Amino acid sequence: MPGTPITTGDYPHGSGSRIGVWLVGARGSVATTAVAGAAAIAAGLASAQGCVTELPAFADASLPALADLVFGGHDVVETSLSARAGLLVEAGVLPAAVLRAAAPGLAAAEEELRDGSARPGESQAETVARLAADIRAFRNRHLLEHVVVVNVASTEPSPEPSPAFLDLEALEAAMAEPGSSVLPPSSLYAYAAFSAGAAYVNFTPSTGARLPALWQLARRHRVPHAGRDGKTGETLVKSALAPMFLQRGLTLNAWSGTNLLGGGDGATLADPQAALSKTESKQRVLEELVGAPVPGQVHIDNVPALGEWKTAWDHIRFEGFLGVRMTMQFTWEGCDSALAAPLVLDLARLAALACRRGESGPLRALGFFFKDPVDSQQHNLSLQFEALRTWALHPAEVLTEAAS
Amino acid sequence: MPGTPITTGDYPHGSGSRIGVWLVGARGSVATTAVAGAAAIAAGLASAQGCVTELPAFADASLPALADLVFGGHDVVETSLSARAGLLVEAGVLPAAVLRAAAPGLAAAEEELRDGSARPGESQAETVARLAADIRAFRNRHLLEHVVVVNVASTEPSPEPSPAFLDLEALEAAMAEPGSSVLPPSSLYAYAAFSAGAAYVNFTPSTGARLPALWQLARRHRVPHAGRDGKTGETLVKSALAPMFLQRGLTLNAWSGTNLLGGGDGATLADPQAALSKTESKQRVLEELVGAPVPGQVHIDNVPALGEWKTAWDHIRFEGFLGVRMTMQFTWEGCDSALAAPLVLDLARLAALACRRGESGPLRALGFFFKDPVDSQQHNLSLQFEALRTWALHPAEVLTEAAS
Amino acid sequence: MPGTPITTGDYPHGSGSRIGVWLVGARGSVATTAVAGAAAIAAGLASAQGCVTELPAFADASLPALADLVFGGHDVVETSLSARAGLLVEAGVLPAAVLRAAAPGLAAAEEELRDGSARPGESQAETVARLAADIRAFRNRHLLEHVVVVNVASTEPSPEPSPAFLDLEALEAAMAEPGSSVLPPSSLYAYAAFSAGAAYVNFTPSTGARLPALWQLARRHRVPHAGRDGKTGETLVKSALAPMFLQRGLTLNAWSGTNLLGGGDGATLADPQAALSKTESKQRVLEELVGAPVPGQVHIDNVPALGEWKTAWDHIRFEGFLGVRMTMQFTWEGCDSALAAPLVLDLARLAALACRRGESGPLRALGFFFKDPVDSQQHNLSLQFEALRTWALHPAEVLTEAAS
Amino acid sequence: MPGTPITTGDYPHGSGSRIGVWLVGARGSVATTAVAGAAAIAAGLASAQGCVTELPAFADASLPALADLVFGGHDVVETSLSARAGLLVEAGVLPAAVLRAAAPGLAAAEEELRDGSARPGESQAETVARLAADIRAFRNRHLLEHVVVVNVASTEPSPEPSPAFLDLEALEAAMAEPGSSVLPPSSLYAYAAFSAGAAYVNFTPSTGARLPALWQLARRHRVPHAGRDGKTGETLVKSALAPMFLQRGLTLNAWSGTNLLGGGDGATLADPQAALSKTESKQRVLEELVGAPVPGQVHIDNVPALGEWKTAWDHIRFEGFLGVRMTMQFTWEGCDSALAAPLVLDLARLAALACRRGESGPLRALGFFFKDPVDSQQHNLSLQFEALRTWALHPAEVLTEAAS
């Protein structure tokens, strides 16, 4: 019955301590790198460099071991994980030795991948039921303690606003219509995750769980969620650098940025509609840090010759004592998959920790990872890190929605 | 009698609330910009942009008003403040309108400048007595509540180690010798400040109060001190950026830097001995943040064509998930005087606050301003800012040396 | 009678050697800097740095002296030259000493400025007659040997194609219609220049003389013309750098650029239509050098905080031996007026040289100065320089249209 | 008999058209990349991208085909070519496919490598006789038309000046002493090349043939030589960019550079003595282009984390019209071996062309390739390219030493 809370205890959790990581966009570069990397680290053939939860600061948190993560997921393409991993070796993202070590892990994950395509004529209610069934079956098959769904699919355009977004009952009614398309794909997966009793993490700028109706759904199923839009490059640097100007009383007159992206991400974001959700969260960080809009444009260009790499150039014009104008510039040349993949593992572990503690609803303490953190306007990276560490180690000191 | 504590109550403090700012290197660009800027801001003709203590975060701290600062100081050159200010207008550091507004303030400060040169044959005990007398006379002339001595003179080479540095009695004995030269100039001024009951702030990488014997002296006179080496450019950025790499588990494989400096600073630091104390504190920040040495060289080049400006280029090579190597670069094009001058005002106000509270000894909470903060290895800029704010607003919550 | 050639001998040239420089956009930053600079150099108070024609390589060319240039022009705004010059002093473009030296020169030029606004209801034939009369009167008033009209007005959008552009008779018929608007403003001035027997130089990306009908007009009046779009920054660097990649057999996989412009230029080019003509000529240089399109976008952003300065960042991805991919990046931080103004003087002198020699039609040898050189696809800067020098010094060795 | 000219006709040249390329430092990264690349291109498995002599501009020059090059050489280390090539695959310099295609070519070259170490007690006369015998045997074994010796060994320190450098007879006398060490290694190889009737190309900043006595030797044996110090990065860019400033009348106030080098080159150049010869030729380019010293320092830092890559940052401060100061900066991120290897092939082909034409002595027309071109002060890259093309295609129009 709608409105009746369902506790996570209603789901048949495994008695073991293994955690399922269900990747939406499971055949993409980020997902493949995460699966291969976790396997190589578990096999002792790679260091856990780049994983936040492997830092000494988190040694005492009750996180699942990397070796206890079990991978599965949805995708709409058919490239095999091992074929994708081969391309990533050629692109210099995966060392050849990692690929060899990860082969069994990739093969195991391959078995757990399901087709995420919508079927013609299906209502969205039917689609999410099918997707949720895939997630439940995954949990049951492996007797998993919890499942965390992580969205690492391509960025989608923002949907048109709809009244059905504001209320769960209205949403369910709209989704029940034959051929309905009220929710964008990322939100369908969030719906499926929640209704299967799984946590949901949105690593992309797509809508995901960022709708009031879906918050209601998460609350009903007592599951946590986090997002959105992992910060791995230009915005990561912004959240470390912009506080410096503010703390020193320097006025940001203009902050301009150009992002050159190769690979699939570049192609997706060459669509201005898809790019919009991304440039918006990039600019929001700055505006919310400063407390006022900062002049300056952000460009995202598709440069196929960059392959899996991306380059950002930021030009910062600021004003100091007596109006003297000065300039800072930076370039960031990063490999997106290598930056994002370990954070996917971190987020799965941290969301599992929240599940273990019985926390539900938006996980504000995970803002450290995101450009557009759920229910938070704190963007100072160091303060976000301190908040994350405090949350991970001292649950009693942090008020959670479950407890309130 | 040596060893007997002298309380600040022994000094004839004025009943007013005016604070003396005694600048060592008073005729240089930083000092002149600070004096002219304070005058222009007090006259309502310039904003206090670039002043940390003018941020809303410090609104409730019991700081002296900028208009309550009275300037004087020592120097060994004879260029008048107004001549120096004229050069700074030509160099684009001071707007012409500021110079007009600041003329009376510069003239008033000019009256308070004294010759800081050592006299032939004088013992260092005699020199400091003379310097201290200048400071006491300044305080008495203006009935100042407290005096803060701020060192903004040219960087000097590090002195050879001496046993006299370790013990105040040994130091006093050595300084009493005719023609003695045991202390470098910056330390002579620290000695003079302490013995005159004034706080001492070292904005340069020179030795200043950084000797055990001088800590004893500060304690005996119950005055606070802070330093050293104001961070205004490359190192400021390092202390904001390096934590980002650490918090994300990214390994810093190399951090290389080249600093191009014009103006007098460039010429001074073209002397490798003088530059050494500067490059050392630049590297220490990184090493203490990371907890291990980071490969990479730091260069300081004299480029006269840059005038009052300096440009730093830093190249950071880091390693992420599965060993993927990535690069960040930044350039910082700043005007040293415009960056340093407001911090001199901040430090004078904050040291005065410490005096008002009766705090003495090293002011750890002022580490936010320095490359090589006294008695602290915290270099994370955001955490330094939080510590500073807490100290400025909530004195009771912070243990001070005076209280312990 | 249309079609009948008119020789330059038909115009009442002065017997003296003074050359008129008639600036379209005469009250703008570039024009004001050119007039003030020429005056200061003539007064011996500034060096001719930045003037190509003052290089030793041109010492033997029969160029008019800088002191023999007489300035006048059209504009549609009313800011006085001295007011504009004052703003340029504040912006750091003109030294205060230059302004003092240039005051008489600016005042003299101010007397020669005329309103260039179109009048309501006027046909374009009437407008150009009025503009041409202003130019003729200027020549007669000062007994000038020749007049060179130089367009330094704001960039205008490209006009819609029209059949009247292709044939002079059709154009004249269209312009005779009451209220006609067949020609964009820059082309009206070109028409006025040619019909007044003056040379025309287009320093902007606007249409100017770049229409077949106007070429016919120039030929009929036997006057030379040159253009278009002065290269002073990013494109200048492209024309020096791109040949390096080609000469070394390195493949340009992508060349991306972002231009941050302050001042009026930034505001004008924030209009994508106006910017289009500029980004097009920026890309054409590269494409014509390489002989094929080079992937990559060019952005022009308006950043008011940059004032008279502009910053370009270019990111070049190239491929070498065995497909190894490498990267070059550059930033160019220039003052547009300071870069353009001396070239305006150069072009006036060189166009006057062509007039003296009786050359008419497009001056290909001036391609060195332009992004989109008339009748030439040579963009290699060094080869353009050699061609310019040869032309300036050895007229007999160069075929000119007049001679053929 | 010393002094008697020996014509190249004295050597038993093969009747075929194959050219020997004898690499000094044959087991290093540059040599290995050149050998592997030539093999892969000959096999049709790689493009000749990065080879100047493969540009359409050189299609009509009588150059030997890449497939007609036969490789051999000296080295003092023992790493096999295939082991080195394996390391280059890991470092991302050689694609794995190229390595497979090049295996037979590498194996064939491996057979032709000889130990270049000096033997204890040997006089230098004996050493060069042995080295020359290796070169002659190589030519005879393969019936080569000509042999070109190319120095790609590690940079060595500059030798102390010696009177024996100035005269061939004095040199020969000095070299005949038992245990003599008058010539540095690079010059020993030049001596051996000349005395074996082979051309000599110095791709390094080491001394090589740059001694009057060795010029006499080259003339006596009627063989050509070229050098020195291949320009592949920062200096290449300088020679393309610096002319731009000069042609525009812009004054170079300062040109500062920092070079971060990984790999073996970085380690060698961390020795300031070895680096000196390199930084000197880097600065000379600028000074000879400008005609006066340009202020600014050049740093070379060893940054092992860069592997085979190097990054240069250059900061250029220049002054334009009315003294306005502006800035250009660039970074160059290149793979040294990938940049140098194709030029080694180019130089071998072009030196072979000179041999075919009977040209001897210094090949000025090859200045395009070098930081410190023999017998030339022309550093403008585009003019060097034109000179090279003219020389390669129109031998009759160029005066050669052989002809004069």
Side-chain angles (χ1 to χ4, degrees), chain C residues 49-50 231 248-249 251 327 333, chain D residues 49-50 231 248-249 251 333:
Chain C
Q49 222 170 195
K231 56 182 174 188
R248 282 293 172 96
T251 304
T327 304
E333 298 169 78
Chain D
Q49 222 170 199
K231 58 181 172 187
R248 282 292 171 96
T251 305
E333 297 169 79

Side-chain angles (χ1 to χ4, degrees), chain C residues 304-383:
Chain C
L306 288 175
E308 291 285 326
W309 258 253
K310 76 176 177 190
T311 295
W313 171 69
D314 276 37
H315 180 275
I316 306 154
R317 185 77 168 169
F318 63 97
E319 199 173 314
F321 200 51
L322 306 175
V324 173
R325 290 184 170 186
M326 297 172 270
T327 304
M328 180 173 179
Q329 300 175 63
F330 69 82
T331 55
W332 172 267
E333 298 169 78
C335 172
D336 222 31
S337 304
L339 288 162
L343 305 184
V344 166
L345 302 178
D346 287 327
L347 285 161
R349 299 172 86 187
L350 291 161
L353 175 64
C355 290
R356 285 177 171 175
R357 288 184 190 164
E359 293 183 31
S360 63
L363 297 172
R364 290 173 200 86
L366 272 55
F368 172 72
F369 294 94
F370 298 110
K371 293 192 190 76
D372 183 13
V374 62
D375 215 20
S376 164
Q377 299 202 346
Q378 176 59 273
H379 295 285
N380 178 314
L381 189 72
S382 285
L383 301 187

Side-chain angles (χ1 to χ4, degrees), chain B residues 50-69:
Chain B
C51 282
V52 173
T53 49
E54 290 287 310
L55 291 172
F58 293 89
D60 294 333
S62 307
L63 297 163
L66 279 176
D68 283 341
L69 303 183

Side-chain angles (χ1 to χ4, degrees), chain A:
Chain A
M1 191 181 104
T4 307
I6 302 170
T7 70
T8 48
D10 297 345
Y11 300 101
H13 293 294
S15 56
S17 59
R18 291 197 308 161
I19 298 294
V21 184
W22 189 264
L23 300 160
V24 179
R27 298 186 182 285
S29 296
V30 173
T32 306
T33 304
V35 173
I41 296 166
L45 288 161
S47 80
Q49 223 170 197
C51 282
V52 174
T53 48
E54 289 287 310
L55 290 172
F58 294 89
D60 294 332
S62 306
L63 298 164
L66 279 175
D68 283 340
L69 303 183
V70 180
F71 295 92
H74 282 121
D75 207 325
V76 296
V77 298
E78 296 189 0
T79 325
S80 75
L81 286 176
S82 68
R84 172 72 67 190
L87 295 172
L88 291 167
V89 170
E90 277 179 39
V93 180
L94 292 181
V98 162
L99 181 53
R100 285 189 293 274
L106 289 167
E110 184 75 45
E111 292 295 307
E112 302 298 334
L113 301 197
R114 298 294 178 268
D115 181 20
S117 311
R119 289 174 190 165
E122 205 176 40
S123 73
Q124 289 201 318
E126 291 166 325
T127 308
V128 296
R130 192 163 42 79
L131 300 173
D134 288 340
I135 297 169
R136 276 193 212 96
F138 173 61
R139 181 168 50 211
N140 296 340
R141 203 154 51 240
H142 295 282
L143 301 175
L144 301 167
E145 184 190 348
H146 296 284
V147 173
V148 182
V149 174
V150 185
N151 179 21
V152 286
S154 294
T155 298
E156 66 194 21
S158 292
E160 291 298 307
S162 156
F165 291 170
L166 304 178
D167 176 73
L168 182 53
E169 284 190 57
L171 178 62
E172 288 174 333
M175 290 172 67
E177 300 285 328
S180 55
S181 66
V182 60
L183 283 184
S186 62
S187 301
L188 282 183
Y189 286 105
Y191 194 109
F194 294 156
S195 60
Y200 176 81
V201 176
N202 187 2
F203 203 78
T204 79
S206 302
T207 308
R210 193 61 66 87
L211 297 173
L214 293 179
W215 280 41
Q216 292 173 35
L217 186 68
R219 227 174 284 129
R220 185 198 291 175
H221 290 271
R222 296 201 174 275
V223 283
H225 53 95
R228 104 183 138 175
D229 203 2
K231 56 182 173 188
T232 60
E234 189 198 29
T235 312
L236 175 65
V237 179
K238 274 182 179 168
S239 71
L241 265 188
M244 176 187 79
F245 294 98
L246 305 175
Q247 290 155 355
R248 283 291 172 97
L250 303 166
T251 305
L252 289 166
N253 287 331
W255 193 309
S256 310
T258 297
N259 294 270
L260 310 181
L261 276 70
D265 222 14
T268 304
L269 295 169
D271 168 9
Q273 279 309 308
L276 197 60
S277 57
K278 188 139 192 160
T279 54
E280 275 174 357
S281 41
K282 278 167 172 289
Q283 289 172 308
R284 190 178 307 121
V285 166
L286 212 52
E287 179 167 345
E288 291 185 0
L289 273 166
V290 173
V294 176
Q297 289 176 255
V298 175
H299 302 288
I300 302 184
D301 292 0
N302 180 24
V303 178
L306 289 176
E308 291 285 326
W309 258 254
K310 75 175 176 190
T311 294
W313 171 69
D314 276 37
H315 180 275
I316 306 154
R317 186 78 168 166
F318 63 98
E319 198 174 314
F321 200 51
L322 307 176
V324 173
R325 290 184 170 187
M326 297 172 270
T327 304
M328 180 173 181
Q329 300 175 61
F330 69 82
T331 55
W332 172 267
E333 298 169 78
C335 172
D336 221 33
S337 305
L339 289 162
L343 305 184
V344 166
L345 302 177
D346 288 326
L347 285 161
R349 298 172 87 185
L350 292 161
L353 175 63
C355 290
R356 285 177 172 176
R357 289 185 190 163
E359 293 183 30
S360 63
L363 296 173
R364 291 174 199 84
L366 272 55
F368 172 72
F369 295 95
F370 297 110
K371 294 192 189 75
D372 182 13
V374 62
D375 215 19
S376 164
Q377 299 201 347
Q378 176 59 271
H379 294 285
N380 178 314
L381 189 73
S382 285
L383 301 187
Q384 289 176 317
F385 183 78
E386 295 304 315
L388 175 67
R389 184 162 64 170
T390 302
W391 174 83
L393 297 177
H394 308 293
E397 296 173 17
V398 181
L399 284 182
T400 66
E401 189 181 74
S404 65

